[in-house]
Amino acid sequence: QVQLVEAGGGSVQAGGSLRLSCGASEFIDSSYCMAWFRQAPGKEREEVAAIYTGDTSTYYADSVKGRFTISQDKAKTTMYLRMNSLKPEDSAMYYCAADPFSSDSICTTGLGDFGIWGQGTQVTVSS
């Protein structure tokens, strides 16, 4: 089973940017739904973005549209989340996740069923 490792979290001031990466232990097949989730203390986990590896179609939560960009490298071993115009409410633990089974239509509506998770990376945005 593929393993995922996140990196790139840190502390930044409001308005700043960060890029998170999610490295996979092996090539990600073209039928995977890959996603970024976040969870802040006392809040529910939120799916913020997803990408279907086959056609790079994407999903974004309304809370991050226009500010965050999800992408993958050509080798399909690393996924990225570029986060611009960060706000204090973006502070959370960010996790990458993989769903080997859902179709692109499911993936791009934020309804993937994610069974493979990374360990998370902390993002803190100060005002």
Side-chain angles (χ1 to χ4, degrees):
Q1 175 171 295
V2 66
Q3 294 180 325
L4 306 174
V5 179
E6 303 95 335
S11 297
V12 64
Q13 289 192 329
S17 299
L18 284 172
R19 188 179 77 160
L20 306 183
S21 63
C22 174
S25 58
E26 59 190 64
F27 170 78
I28 299 296
D29 187 83
S30 292
S31 60
Y32 271 56
C33 179
M34 302 291 295
W36 286 97
F37 287 77
R38 68 185 180 188
Q39 188 165 23
K43 295 189 177 181
E44 291 189 359
R45 186 174 63 194
E46 176 188 19
E47 182 178 1
V48 297
I51 186 167
Y52 190 72
T53 58
D55 59 11
T56 69
S57 53
T58 58
Y59 160 84
Y60 293 98
D62 289 343
S63 57
V64 306
K65 278 181 183 175
R67 301 188 299 121
F68 289 12
T69 303
I70 190 171
S71 62
Q72 62 182 14
D73 68 345
K74 290 184 178 180
K76 295 184 180 179
T77 57
T78 305
M79 178 178 65
Y80 301 98
L81 185 69
R82 177 69 180 181
M83 305 185 294
N84 295 329
S85 302
L86 282 162
K87 305 175 181 180
E89 52 263 43
D90 294 318
S91 296
M93 185 71 80
Y94 283 71
Y95 301 89
C96 67
D99 169 10
F101 306 114
S102 291
S103 65
D104 56 347
S105 59
I106 295 296
C107 184
T108 55
T109 53
L111 296 176
D113 184 12
F114 298 91
I116 303 170
W117 293 84
Q119 83 289 349
T121 186
Q122 179 68 40
V123 172
T124 302
V125 184
S126 58
S127 57

